[in-house]
């Protein structure tokens, strides 16, 4: 028996399903908070619109029984097409190009501004970031163009005229850039306390080597004359000796690398006449790092020799521990009325006297070793035998002239109740 399709009944069924869904939705919304209700009200119409869309699959009912809805078969119809889908070229949907950030814009602005000056080194001068303005101009060149650096330019031109005369009376080409100032030697713009220190130029190194090795001048005299520390002079002499040995052996030198590094650093020229560094700094002795309250008389002068004896009996005074004691001698108040040339001569005489005394002590030491020390030479080691006397250990066996005094009884300055370097009387 075949039952015909009843459209009115299908319409009633659809209304009943819609009513049931709406009722359940309303009951659910009643139990939700206000914010969730708002979201659900926006979601339900979208679902209803999607269900009524022509792209949504349609459902038709065919009934085999008028009393049962569960036995109604469903058939799904979907429209397929083999034609290619059309790409949406709407301007609003096209992905726009990413806008550069503020940091990226500043980076490219720096590349096109001061950054373009660092692609190539600046000939004859340092090339640090702190020497340029925001527009990429050298500060000292800009200041000289405005007339704020006229005195500095005149002084530099005068030095160029004096130093420019060479063999044949020819003048060197004048440097186009003004001399470097203090602000131009700061490689890090945000760290104003750091400044790039000068290094010795190749001409200055050759001059030091000639004076010390070839002419035989003393290291102390060269240090005072050129304003270079004696330790640096020794390092220059040793390194140039190694370089000459390598050249004699045919070893390659990194000349291009050395030239590139030297071009990026400030240099001390040989003909500048200015000191390279301080040469008379007092080294800090460990014995002077303690705090001592020492009573002394007001009727006598407390000199540096007295202060050295208070710190340690074997400590030399500051006038003798500095690298150049002759400079202290020439600067004493009794020589205050003398001319600079006379003071220089006093320092030179004092230096020669010290060198002579040192040579005499060394000669006496060698003569004593020749008389008292017997040397047995071997291919790898030399054995030295020295004559001693047993009574040189002193009354307590702790004399420094005795044998094994360092390995005997330990010092007593750590014992409880032992009087250390505490003054027991006032020297008047």
């Amino acid at each position: 028996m075949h039952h015909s399709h009843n459209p009115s009944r299908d319409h009633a069924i659809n209304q009943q399903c819609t009513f049931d869904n709406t009722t359940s939705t309303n009951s659910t919304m009643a139990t939700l908070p206000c914010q969730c209700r708002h979201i659900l009200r926006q979601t339900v119409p979208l679902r209803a619109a999607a269900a009524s869309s022509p792209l949504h699959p349609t459902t038709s009912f065919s009934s085999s029984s008028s009393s049962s809805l569960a036995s109604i078969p469903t058939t799904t119809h979907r429209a397929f097409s083999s034609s290619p889908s059309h790409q949406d070229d709407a301007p609003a949907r096209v992905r726009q190009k990413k806008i550069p950030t503020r940091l990226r814009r500043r980076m490219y602005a720096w590349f096109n501004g001061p950054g373009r000056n660092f692609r190539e080194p600046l000939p004859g001068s340092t090339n640090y970031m702190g020497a340029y303005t925001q527009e990429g101009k050298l500060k000292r060149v800009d200041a000289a163009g405005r007339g704020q650096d006229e005195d500095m330019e005149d002084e530099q031109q005068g030095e160029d005229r004096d130093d420019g005369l060479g063999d044949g009376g020819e003048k060197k080409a004048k440097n186009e850039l003004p001399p470097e100032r203090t602000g131009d030697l700061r490689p890090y713009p945000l760290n104003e306390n750091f400044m790039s220190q000068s290094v010795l130029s190749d001409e200055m190194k050759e001059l030091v080597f000639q004076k010390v090795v070839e002419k035989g001048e003393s290291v102390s005299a060269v240090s005072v004359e050129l304003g270079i520390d004696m330790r640096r002079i020794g390092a220059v002499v040793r390194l140039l000796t190694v370089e000459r040995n390598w050249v004699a052996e045919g070893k390659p030198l990194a000349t291009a690398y050395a030239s590139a590094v030297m071009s990026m650093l400030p240099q001390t020229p040989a003909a500048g006449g200015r000191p390279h560094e301080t040469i008379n700094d007092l080294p800090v002795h460990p014995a002077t790092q303690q705090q001592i309250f020492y009573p002394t008389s007001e009727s006598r002068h407390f000199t540096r020799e007295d202060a050295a004896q208070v710190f340690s009996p074997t400590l030399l005074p500051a006038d003798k521990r500095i690298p150049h004691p002759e400079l202290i001698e020439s600067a004493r108040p009794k020589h205050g009325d003398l001319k600079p040339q006379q003071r220089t001569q006093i320092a030179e005489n004092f230096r020669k006297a010290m060198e002579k005394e040192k040579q005499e002590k060394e000669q006496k030491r060698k003569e004593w070793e020749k008389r008292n020390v017997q040397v047995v030479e071997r291919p790898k080691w030399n054995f030295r035998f020295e004559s001693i006397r047993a009574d040189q250990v002193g009354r307590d066996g702790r004399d420094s002239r005795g044998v094994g005094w360092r390995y005997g009884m330990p010092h007593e300055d750590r014992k409880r109740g032992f009087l250390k370097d505490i003054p027991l009387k006032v020297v008047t």
Side-chain angles (χ1 to χ4, degrees):
M1 181 177 179
H2 182 268
H3 295 276
S4 61
H5 180 66
N6 191 352
S8 61
R9 188 173 61 179
D10 294 342
H11 181 67
I13 293 173
N14 291 335
Q15 288 182 350
Q16 181 66 25
C17 294
T18 304
F19 176 76
D20 294 341
N21 293 335
T22 306
T23 305
S24 61
T25 303
N26 294 334
S27 62
T28 304
M29 292 176 60
T31 60
L32 293 176
C34 297
Q35 297 178 355
C36 297
R37 295 176 191 173
H38 177 69
I39 297 174
L40 191 58
R41 288 194 187 98
Q42 294 180 353
T43 307
V44 172
L46 293 176
R47 292 180 178 177
S52 61
S53 175
L55 298 178
H56 193 274
T58 58
T59 304
S60 62
F61 297 91
S62 62
S63 174
S64 60
S65 174
S66 59
S67 60
S68 176
L69 296 177
S71 61
I72 299 177
T74 60
T75 305
T76 304
H77 301 281
R78 298 185 63 183
F80 295 95
S81 175
S82 61
S83 61
S85 60
H86 297 283
Q87 187 176 2
D88 191 0
D89 295 334
R93 296 181 180 272
V94 176
R95 186 176 182 181
Q96 298 180 357
K97 187 177 180 180
K98 187 177 180 180
I99 301 176
T101 60
R102 179 175 59 88
L103 295 178
R104 188 179 294 271
R105 291 195 302 269
R106 293 179 61 184
M107 180 184 67
Y108 283 110
W110 186 84
F111 284 161
N112 299 325
R116 67 174 180 269
N117 298 294
F118 302 101
R119 296 176 182 175
E120 298 294 338
L122 192 62
S125 175
T126 56
N127 201 21
Y128 295 148
M129 296 177 61
Y132 290 90
T133 60
Q134 295 294 337
E135 293 78 14
K137 299 180 181 179
L138 273 174
K139 294 180 180 179
R140 60 181 184 269
V141 174
D142 194 15
R146 295 194 305 265
Q148 297 180 0
D149 210 10
E150 296 179 356
D151 297 336
M152 187 181 300
E153 284 186 346
D154 296 338
E155 182 180 358
Q156 180 67 18
Q157 291 176 3
E159 293 179 358
D160 292 340
R161 295 191 191 97
D162 297 337
D163 302 337
L165 296 177
D167 297 338
E170 297 180 357
K171 294 184 178 181
K172 297 181 180 180
K174 186 178 69 173
N175 190 5
E176 297 180 358
L177 294 176
E180 298 167 342
R181 301 176 300 182
T182 304
D184 301 329
L185 299 178
R186 294 190 178 98
Y188 310 109
L190 299 182
N191 188 2
E192 297 182 355
N193 297 324
F194 178 80
M195 291 179 55
S196 181
Q197 302 296 328
S198 299
V199 298
L200 297 179
S201 61
D202 295 336
E203 295 79 8
M204 178 67 80
K205 296 176 184 177
E206 292 293 337
L207 180 61
V208 169
F209 188 83
Q210 292 176 4
K211 287 181 174 293
V212 175
V213 179
E214 298 178 2
K215 297 182 180 180
E217 299 182 11
S218 63
V219 177
S220 178
V222 176
S223 175
V224 174
E225 180 183 356
L226 302 180
I228 305 175
D229 190 85
M230 291 192 295
R231 295 169 295 181
R232 194 178 304 278
I233 290 179
V236 168
V237 171
R238 288 190 295 269
L239 291 177
L240 288 183
T241 303
V242 172
E243 180 181 351
R244 281 165 169 75
N245 293 337
W246 282 12
V247 172
E249 296 174 2
K251 294 183 178 180
L253 302 178
T255 307
Y257 175 77
S259 301
V261 173
M262 291 292 291
S263 63
M264 292 185 278
L265 298 174
Q267 303 180 20
T268 302
R274 59 185 179 89
H276 178 71
E277 57 190 342
T278 57
I279 60 175
N280 217 17
D281 294 335
L282 179 65
V284 179
H285 195 275
T288 61
Q289 296 181 353
Q290 54 182 335
Q291 186 178 13
I292 299 177
F293 295 93
Y294 184 78
T296 182
S297 175
E298 297 181 359
S299 60
R300 61 184 296 270
H301 294 286
F302 191 80
T303 61
R304 296 189 181 97
E305 287 80 1
D306 299 332
Q309 292 297 321
V310 170
F311 281 115
S312 176
T314 59
L315 181 64
L316 295 176
D319 296 349
K320 297 181 180 180
R321 286 191 293 116
I322 58 176
H324 298 280
E326 66 275 6
L327 299 181
I328 298 295
E329 183 66 25
S330 63
R332 292 189 181 278
K334 61 181 180 180
H335 302 147
D337 299 336
L338 300 180
K339 297 181 180 180
Q341 294 81 3
Q342 296 176 347
R343 290 188 177 185
T344 304
Q345 187 63 33
I346 291 176
E348 184 67 22
N349 297 336
F350 190 83
R351 184 187 305 110
K352 291 181 179 179
M354 291 180 58
E355 291 179 357
K356 184 178 180 180
E357 182 181 358
K358 184 178 180 180
Q359 292 176 359
E360 291 177 355
K361 289 183 178 180
E362 184 67 18
Q363 185 66 23
K364 290 181 180 180
R365 186 187 65 82
K366 290 181 179 180
E367 292 177 357
W368 183 88
E369 287 185 355
K370 188 177 181 180
R371 294 192 308 265
N372 298 276
V373 179
Q374 182 181 1
V375 180
V376 179
E377 297 182 358
R378 287 292 181 267
K380 190 175 182 179
W381 307 100
N382 292 337
F383 297 92
R384 301 167 60 89
F385 297 94
E386 180 182 349
S387 301
I388 63 169
R389 291 189 304 176
D391 56 354
Q392 288 182 346
V393 296
R395 298 176 57 184
D396 55 354
R398 300 296 305 278
D399 195 279
S400 60
R401 295 175 297 177
V403 179
W405 69 279
R406 293 189 181 93
Y407 315 106
M409 183 177 60
H411 291 285
E412 298 180 351
D413 56 353
R414 298 297 180 182
K415 291 184 178 180
R416 180 178 298 180
F418 183 79
L419 296 179
K420 305 177 180 62
D421 297 334
I422 300 176
L424 303 179
K425 61 181 180 179
V426 177
V427 180
T428 58

